[in-house]
Structures are given as structure tokens and as C-alpha cells.
Amino acid sequence: MQYLRTKLIIAAVFVMFLFFFSNDFGLIDIEKTAIITAIAIDSADEEYEVTAQIAVPEATDANTENKKAQVSGTGGTIGAAIKDIGDKTGWFPNLQFCNLLIVGNDLTSGNVFKVLDYFSKTLRVQDSALVITTDGAAKKLLEVSTPLDNISSFALQKILLKNPGFDSDVAETDIKTFCTDYYSESESSYMPIVTVSEQNAADGTGKNPSGGSGSESTGGQSGSTSGSSGDPASGNATGNSDGTGGKTLFNARETALFLKGVKVGKLNAEQTLLLNALTDKFRGTTIEIKGVETEGEKANYLITVFRCIPKITVKANSGSFTVKLSLNIYCKIVDRNTEKSDVTYSKNVPLPQAVKEKTERFLTDRIAELIEIERETGCDFLFLKRKLLQYNYKFYPQYKDNYLNVMKVETDVTVTGQK
Amino acid sequence: MIKKSLKTRQICFFFIAFMPVVKFFMMPSVMANSAGRDEWLSCIINVLLDFATLAALVFAFRNVKTNFFSLSENTLGKVGSKIVYALYAVYFLMKAYVPIAEQRDYVELTLYSTLPNVLDFMPFMLLAFYFAQKKLRVIGRVSDVVWVLSASAYLLMFSLAVSNAEFDLLLPVGKTPFNKIAQGSFYALNWFGDAAYFIFFVGEYEHKKGDCAKSVISNLIAALSVRVFGGIFYRTFSSIAFRQRYALTEMSKYSSVINNVGRFDYLAIFFLLLASAFSAAVPLYFASKLAVKIVGCNSPKIKTAVSATVFILYTAALLLFKEYNASIEKFMKEYGGYAFLLFGNVLPVVFAFTFSKGATKNAIPAH
């Protein structure tokens, strides 16, 4: 009898646990659930307009394409606008799979933190969701279809999140990082600007209706550019635009800079590349060096970064505040347009001195531009103020308000290859 | 010879399996709210306090063969002992409230999409009640099983999270005013004072040579786990650490492995949730045992009735006070620390050195 009672108790406990952990008590019918994959936020008069891209589950295996729907809601707060979507549709807005937030350009003139704060606090959204902005209305990005994926947010994520070995040419950020940077001593943060341009498939020339950086070739004057044009792995994704029959191209190589949550400037593609080199993992990124004269012949080189050791150090004393930015890059030649060659690139080819010098000059010039932009905008995207606090606490009160004006910058770029 | 309820191994596993996990929810944010980037110093103060308390207990009780209840009655008499039991029962009920409430909120907020039913958390109370009906050896048996899950979960969580943590975010060290660091320690005392459990293990395990070292080392491992978690926590969230109430699910998800493969870290999270359910039930277990001791009846039915009364009243309190959680949490942080320090650290050491003097060599079973 005692044994039977014990078994019953154990069985009852297991049944309760089954209900408990299977979430049966809080079950919502899948047909009444909107699985939101991305959210675009624009301003609408005094309110916010939130547009949700919703993945619609398909009951058939005949159609392999993802189906999507877009629904907008408005409200005085972001939470109210999302609730409005649920009220309008009868769907429960499930944000667990929302991996992308798009902030409309009109909201960036004010403090975007008001918009992002909801997502950083609620447990309904993963705060590892990517945050981007655009040069127009945010919802326009969700309306685009690409052959990469019918759901534009999935295509966007492909160019924003790179696997190791791809070019680090997008200064991607997520909700958590944006918020920690906002609350840091530097009060500065950044996010990619994604622009859409139409491109003629036949001749490959792009026109960018937004006037943004949809062009595939960057930095031609300096003889350097990053990545391969039109390659989704290098910050661009091409695809069919809804209703136009043409092709669209996403470009996420530019970066918007924020000071105290307000957009104060932007970095172009080359500057973004250097920001990543100085702050991110740069390994695997390719750099194209054009017009290098070696052995009496002008050639273009494509080199891959195999090792990148960035270092930003700040040193302060009562008389000066010095910032030293150093970059140590080891790279290999991947390609060269030459008339004749006696080596294969499977071998280790020594890096010609001219290529090394031109690469160093390119990197040094871009670093100087980054410093100049820090000074002009006040956006401390290199987090020099935070480093001042961390490593020179004694002099923090002396320089915390004027560090951008008084700092002396030293740059040390070293490019090496096979020797 | 009376068979002992516990083995030293099980006590060691108890500290490793249950003590750190309950500190992985809200506690790091409570410390960060007061001490900022020096929250790890607040944590170290509490960890050392518990470590020193346990070391003192293990040392003082090293030759004692009698259990806590006999020791208490020998020294304080029956009435005095019942007062101590009553005070400790209240202490354990107090100690359990915030961890249970935070775990309930965590489960409701993360596992339920819409408004959860008030009864959704009740299976926990059923489990805790069932747990409390068992003799002390149940703690040893559960520890034997759960420590593997806890230890593997710590390893998985930490190894995923550490790659995304920026270590220089802890700099400059010690620049937060000491009163803020001390406040962080004081506010978090609700989650510490674990050495107090050891007084109920005294005389319940066969003490052999080297057991002191084993107990202290296991406590050190538990303390290090808490410290490592707290350190990675601040390095992950830095300036927004103060508002990350549910750090458990947040720590590991920024790893590039998780981005590419998916949330397999939920396996570790569920292991830790399982361990934390038992961990939150431990204070209720001892509160129930103490209530039974106060009533002082040997009838199994009356024992069960007393325990059931404790659990019914506590469940009712959890439901009734749900709307006052913010105030209760504030009270526990700002004022509860005095009680947690007294009952969790001071009195156990006082008991250890006073009770052990009059300890007899004959064990009297407690349960």
C-alpha cells in the first residue's frame, strides 16, 4: 500500500512537471501566433509606427519558400505599438525570433534610446537582436524581396552577421551592445546604415535612389577597397525589388554615429572597415590594392588579412593626453592581375614592398580620418574616454571634458607578409 | 551503531550543486546596482564571509558526533532550543522568499508567452513539500545526482560566456566608494549565509580524516563558481548590469557559437533551473523540520500535518503578497541583511564554539 502510494505521488509529480515544462498552461494556438522576424520603427506624428515582418508557417511541403506578411501598429510607446499589431490582427506578437530592429532615419535626429530601451528591458525580445538604421523609412527595408530569401530580414541578417573568414566590413551591433555603449562613460554608440539601391542586372551599374553608398566600388581614389562588389558576404545583397522587376542591392557598409543617442555623423565604407580593424575581429577580410607598380608593371592586388592585432592605448599625465593607435597586420596575396606569373597562390608568395607600403598608407590615412571624425562629431566610437577612466583614473577628472581637443595621436601601422 | 544520514561526499556535492545556482538570477544585478564595476568586490566580501563561517564550523565541529538538535538541547535546554528552532524557522522562511519569488517571476516571464495562471508555480511547492517529508538523507541523494548537472552546466555556461566578456570593463578596480561596495554586499546577504545549513549536517555524517579539507574545498569551488559567474556577468553587461535581473539566460547567448548553432545553451539553463528548484526548496525543508521539532511530536501523521501547515501558509503568503513583491524585496535588501548576517554567519559560529564544548559522543538521530 505504502509502495503504491509512493508510486502515485511520483507519477503525479511527473505529470505536473510535464505540464509545467511543456508550457501547456500558457499555450497559444500557433494559428493565432505571429512569429515576428524583424521590426521596423518609424515616427508617426507624435507616436511611433512599428511595422512587424511576420513569418507565416506553411502547412505544405510543396512550397519551399518562406511566406511573409507585414503589419503596422501605432502607439505612444513601442510596447503600445506592438500591442496595437496584436489588437488589429488577433495574432499574438511573438518576438522570440525577432533578430533585427530597423530604426527609421526620422527617429535618429532624436534620442534613439527611447526607441531601443523597450527592447533592452523586455524579456520578450532577445537583446542580441541586431540594430540597424537606414536613410529613409525603416519599413521600406522590410518591403524588399531578394532571391537570397523571400523574407528581407533574413537576407539582411546574412550581410550583417558574417561567419569567420568573411569580410568584416559591417560595423554590426546588437541591442545590448548599443545600450551598454550608450550608458558607458563615452556615451557613444554606432549602428550600420543599410541603404537600398536598384541595380540593372545587365550592365551591373547601380543607381542609388537614396544617394547613399549603394555603389559597389569604394575608395577608388586611394586605390583600395574592401570585399567584392555585389557579394552578399561583403556587405551587399542583391535581389528582386517588389513590383519593379529590377534588382535591389542592400548596402550596410556605412555606419551611423550616435552621441547620447542622437545621430551626429557617419562613417563611409573605408572608415567602417578601419573601425572594425581597430575594434573587431578583422581576420579573413580582403583588401584590394589597386595600381601598385612592381617590377615595372602596374597591377591590382587582392590581399587577405590572416592576422590583425589592434591596440588602442591612452596615456595621460598632468601635461598631456596621448592616444596611440597601432595595427599589426599579417596578410597574404590572394590574387593579382598580371600578364605572366611564375608562382601559384597556393604557395606562400612574399608581399612586395610596394604593396606593403601602399596598404600601410591606406590604413594610416583612414585612421587619421577616424580621429578627425571623433573630434568633429564628439562621438567617441573608439571609446577613448572609457579607456582614460580605466587606465588613467587619476587624470580622468582633468581630461574627461576636453580629451578630444587636447589629445595627441600617434599611429603605428605595420603590414607584413611572407618573408 | 547508528547509520549516518549523509556522507562527506554528499555534503561536498550539496555545496557545489545547490549553493551557487540560486545566486545566478537577480543577485548579480543587486550588487551591480550598488557597487557598479566593483560588484565583484562586494561578491568577494560575501563569499569570504561564508567561507570563513563554514571553515569555523567545520573546525569547531570536527570531533562532534552528536547532531545539532541534541547539542542545542544539551546546552540551551528544551525551551531555549525551541526558541532557537523558531527563530531559525523564521529565518529560513525569510531566506526562501525572494529566491522563490524571483524564480517564479523568471519562469513566468520567460517560459510563458501570456499571463500565466497563479497556479503555474504550484508544482514547485508540491515538490518542496514532498522533499520536506523525507529524512535528511534525501538531500545527500539529490546532491549525488544533481551535482553532475550543475557542474556541467557551469562549465558550458561559463565557457560560452567568457569569450564575449571584456575583461578591462572591471577597471579601474576599487574606485567605487567603500560604502557602496559594502552596501552591495549587505543587500545581497539574502542569497548567502549558506554555511548555516552545515550546522544541521553536524553529527549526521561520519567524520573521517581529511573531511574538513573536503568540505572547505567544495565550498571554495561553489564560491569560485559564484565569483566567476559574477565576473563574467559584469564583463558582459557592464554599464547595464544593474538592470539585468535574470542574468541566467542572458549570459551565454552572445557567443558566436550560439549565433551560428542556436540556443543549445538552454540545455545548461534547464539543468540549472532543476538545481535551483531544489536549491530554493532547501530553506523550506529545514523550516519544516524545525517546525516539526518545535511541536515535538513523534507521530508521522502529526509531523506531516505540521509540515503541510507550514507549506500551506507559505504558499498562501506567496500568492497573497505577490502584489507587494517590490516592497518585500526592498525590505529584504535594506533591512533583512541584519537577520541574514546574524542567523547565517554570526550565530552558527557562536553555536559551533559553545555547543561543541559540551558535545557528547553519542549520536541521537534528529529525524
Side-chain angles (χ1 to χ4, degrees):
Chain A
M1 192 63 193
Q2 176 76 20
Y3 181 61
L4 181 67
R5 196 177 65 180
T6 308
K7 281 209 292 190
L8 284 173
I9 290 170
I10 292 170
V13 167
F14 269 95
V15 169
M16 292 303 284
F17 265 86
L18 189 69
F19 279 120
F20 185 58
F21 286 114
S22 68
N23 199 11
D24 232 357
F25 297 140
L27 187 70
I28 302 172
D29 195 321
I30 187 70
E31 290 177 0
K32 290 184 180 174
T33 302
I35 299 169
I36 294 173
T37 57
I39 276 184
I41 308 154
D42 295 294
S43 67
D45 299 326
E46 295 296 304
E47 296 191 316
Y48 297 107
E49 182 188 13
V50 170
T51 305
Q53 187 166 67
I54 297 163
V56 181
E58 283 291 296
T60 171
D61 57 1
N63 186 0
T64 54
E65 286 223 333
N66 293 316
K67 293 286 181 187
K68 65 174 181 180
Q70 252 125 249
V71 186
S72 294
T74 52
T77 66
I78 298 297
I82 292 172
K83 190 189 81 67
D84 190 41
I85 292 173
D87 293 344
K88 279 177 181 170
T89 59
W91 277 335
F92 175 78
N94 186 338
L95 295 164
Q96 290 295 319
F97 301 95
C98 178
N99 289 323
L100 184 66
L101 296 180
I102 309 167
V103 181
N105 186 47
D106 46 359
L107 287 169
T108 58
S109 55
N111 189 343
V112 293
F113 194 72
K114 280 186 191 173
V115 174
L116 296 176
D117 197 33
Y118 170 79
F119 299 103
S120 73
K121 283 178 179 170
T122 180
L123 290 175
R124 291 179 62 198
V125 185
Q126 310 239 22
D127 64 2
S128 53
L130 299 165
V131 187
I132 59 171
T133 185
T134 182
D135 56 355
K139 64 182 177 185
K140 294 284 181 199
L141 288 188
L142 296 182
E143 290 165 0
V144 175
S145 292
T146 80
L148 294 176
D149 203 299
N150 191 33
I151 297 177
S152 57
S153 63
F154 291 173
L156 272 167
Q157 284 174 54
K158 283 174 187 166
I159 65 161
L160 294 169
L161 275 181
K162 303 288 176 57
N163 282 345
F166 286 84
D167 282 358
S168 298
D169 57 355
V170 179
E172 92 274 2
T173 190
D174 55 33
I175 298 171
K176 193 261 299 182
T177 309
F178 192 90
C179 292
T180 51
D181 292 348
Y182 174 85
Y183 274 113
S184 73
E185 290 75 18
S186 297
E187 299 177 291
S188 304
S189 35
Y190 52 83
M191 64 175 79
I193 305 172
V194 177
T195 52
V196 178
S197 57
E198 290 176 19
Q199 181 171 297
N200 188 316
D203 60 12
T205 53
K207 57 172 182 172
N208 188 348
S210 64
S213 62
S215 112
E216 60 199 294
S217 174
T218 56
Q221 291 301 314
S222 64
S224 305
T225 184
S226 76
S228 316
S229 58
D231 177 5
S234 62
N236 292 337
T238 57
N240 290 314
S241 171
D242 273 355
T244 64
K247 289 210 165 189
T248 58
L249 181 142
F250 286 137
N251 188 311
R253 290 177 179 177
E254 287 192 322
T255 306
L257 304 174
F258 293 83
L259 176 64
K260 296 179 182 175
V262 180
K263 187 180 170 190
V264 288
K266 68 177 183 179
L267 301 179
N268 65 27
E270 290 175 354
Q271 291 156 355
T272 300
L273 196 71
L274 257 292
L275 172 65
N276 281 341
L278 287 169
T279 60
D280 202 357
K281 297 176 183 79
F282 201 52
R283 192 168 177 268
T285 299
T286 53
I287 303 174
E288 193 181 345
I289 308 294
K290 287 182 178 170
V292 184
E293 197 166 328
T294 51
E295 296 164 7
E297 185 188 0
K298 263 198 168 182
N300 299 333
Y301 281 81
L302 184 68
I303 57 174
T304 297
V305 175
F306 275 77
R307 186 189 67 219
C308 176
I309 305 171
K311 199 171 182 186
I312 303 175
T313 51
V314 296
K315 275 190 180 171
N317 56 44
S318 56
S320 68
F321 173 55
T322 310
V323 175
K324 186 171 181 182
L325 300 117
S326 65
L327 205 54
N328 183 335
I329 285 178
Y330 168 76
C331 46
K332 280 186 177 179
I333 297 172
V334 181
D335 194 12
R336 184 178 72 145
N337 64 336
T338 180
E339 289 176 1
K340 57 178 183 179
S341 176
D342 57 352
V343 292
T344 68
Y345 294 118
S346 57
K347 280 187 178 178
N348 290 317
V349 181
L351 196 67
Q353 184 65 18
V355 176
K356 174 182 168 309
E357 284 170 4
K358 196 152 192 178
T359 310
E360 282 179 350
R361 195 162 59 246
F362 166 70
L363 297 172
T364 307
D365 290 349
R366 298 295 87 71
I367 289 174
E369 286 172 19
L370 289 183
I371 293 294
E372 198 49 41
I373 290 170
E374 274 232 358
R375 284 197 167 117
E376 280 173 12
T377 61
C379 174
D380 182 18
F381 50 86
L382 295 172
F383 302 104
L384 303 176
K385 191 177 180 182
R386 190 166 72 190
K387 287 180 191 299
L388 174 66
L389 174 86
Q390 289 169 336
Y391 297 103
N392 296 270
Y393 182 75
K394 190 178 165 189
F395 298 101
Y396 182 71
Q398 185 182 340
Y399 294 112
K400 70 184 171 69
D401 296 321
N402 64 347
Y403 67 103
L404 287 173
N405 298 324
V406 301
M407 69 180 176
K408 292 173 190 165
V409 180
E410 294 173 10
T411 309
D412 176 22
V413 176
T414 313
V415 175
T416 55
Q418 277 293 311
K419 298 180 183 84
Chain B
M1 185 180 168
I2 297 167
K3 195 179 176 188
K4 300 288 183 183
S5 299
L6 296 170
K7 291 182 167 48
T8 309
R9 179 197 73 232
Q10 292 173 324
I11 294 175
C12 296
F13 289 163
F14 171 81
F15 285 121
I16 294 169
F18 298 134
M19 294 308 99
V21 68
V22 80
K23 301 174 180 70
F24 290 175
F25 292 83
M26 203 171 89
M27 191 213 71
S29 68
V30 169
M31 284 183 168
N33 196 29
S34 294
R37 61 169 54 81
D38 285 322
E39 61 90 31
W40 67 280
L41 291 176
S42 300
C43 188
I44 278 188
I45 290 172
N46 287 8
V47 159
L48 287 178
L49 190 64
D50 268 13
F51 185 70
T53 307
L54 185 88
L57 294 184
V58 170
F59 175 76
F61 285 125
R62 66 192 183 283
N63 293 322
V64 173
K65 307 284 183 195
T66 321
N67 70 19
F68 171 72
F69 300 103
S70 306
L71 286 170
S72 178
E73 283 166 27
N74 287 344
T75 313
L76 302 173
K78 286 210 167 181
V79 176
S81 294
K82 287 198 177 183
I83 293 169
V84 169
Y85 301 161
L87 289 172
Y88 261 93
V90 173
Y91 161 70
F92 282 127
L93 293 176
M94 259 180 81
K95 184 176 165 61
Y97 189 90
V98 172
I100 290 176
E102 69 179 333
Q103 286 185 44
R104 178 190 60 195
D105 291 349
Y106 173 82
V107 168
E108 288 181 357
L109 283 167
T110 55
L111 300 184
Y112 293 90
S113 303
T114 52
L115 290 176
N117 192 298
V118 288
L119 296 175
D120 284 349
F121 201 66
M122 287 309 105
F124 166 77
M125 295 310 290
L126 286 176
L127 174 79
F129 174 67
Y130 178 75
F131 192 50
Q133 303 319 299
K134 299 291 173 188
K135 292 182 180 172
L136 193 61
R137 67 170 60 94
V138 72
I139 287 183
R141 287 177 177 175
V142 173
S143 301
D144 264 340
V145 175
V146 176
W147 86 274
V148 181
L149 303 180
S150 296
S152 53
Y154 302 153
L155 278 177
L156 182 60
M157 293 276 289
F158 295 166
S159 53
L160 284 171
V162 76
S163 62
N164 204 55
E166 294 179 45
F167 286 80
D168 58 0
L169 288 173
L170 294 183
L171 299 173
V173 173
K175 298 300 178 188
T176 308
F178 182 73
N179 63 330
K180 287 284 175 190
I181 295 172
Q183 188 187 58
S185 295
F186 185 78
Y187 281 5
L189 283 171
N190 196 158
W191 292 272
F192 287 87
D194 302 323
Y197 295 128
F198 187 80
I199 61 175
F200 299 96
F201 300 151
V202 173
E204 300 287 359
Y205 69 100
E206 194 67 51
H207 190 91
K208 293 176 199 156
K209 195 181 174 187
D211 282 359
C212 287
K214 284 178 193 168
S215 303
V216 169
I217 288 169
S218 63
N219 193 263
L220 193 64
I221 292 170
L224 275 175
S225 304
V226 175
R227 190 48 245 118
V228 170
F229 184 87
I232 296 174
F233 168 78
Y234 194 84
R235 287 161 198 163
T236 305
F237 294 104
S238 62
S239 52
I240 57 167
F242 67 94
R243 61 184 211 188
Q244 297 295 323
R245 276 175 73 92
Y246 301 110
L248 185 66
T249 47
E250 307 293 310
M251 296 267 290
S252 48
K253 70 182 181 190
Y254 306 104
S255 161
S256 55
V257 182
I258 296 292
N259 275 333
N260 293 331
V261 179
R263 293 297 304 270
F264 70 91
D265 58 321
Y266 265 114
L267 195 66
I269 291 166
F270 283 128
F271 284 170
L272 291 179
L273 278 176
L274 179 71
S276 64
F278 284 108
S279 183
V282 168
L284 296 182
Y285 174 90
F286 286 112
S288 166
K289 293 293 178 205
L290 287 164
V292 169
K293 275 283 170 192
I294 293 165
V295 174
C297 182
N298 284 328
S299 159
K301 283 185 181 172
I302 293 178
K303 280 184 178 177
T304 307
V306 171
S307 179
T309 308
V310 170
F311 275 88
I312 288 167
L313 290 175
Y314 203 72
T315 306
L318 276 171
L319 293 174
L320 287 172
F321 294 146
K322 197 175 179 185
E323 291 182 14
Y324 300 94
N325 262 359
S327 306
I328 292 172
E329 196 183 301
K330 191 170 184 285
F331 174 81
M332 294 292 192
K333 276 195 308 187
E334 294 179 4
Y335 303 105
Y338 297 109
F340 298 129
L341 193 62
L342 178 68
F343 288 98
N345 300 95
V346 179
L347 282 183
V349 175
V350 172
F351 290 157
F353 286 100
T354 52
F355 290 4
S356 58
K357 283 181 184 170
T360 60
K361 298 291 178 187
N362 299 318
I364 299 168
H367 310 292

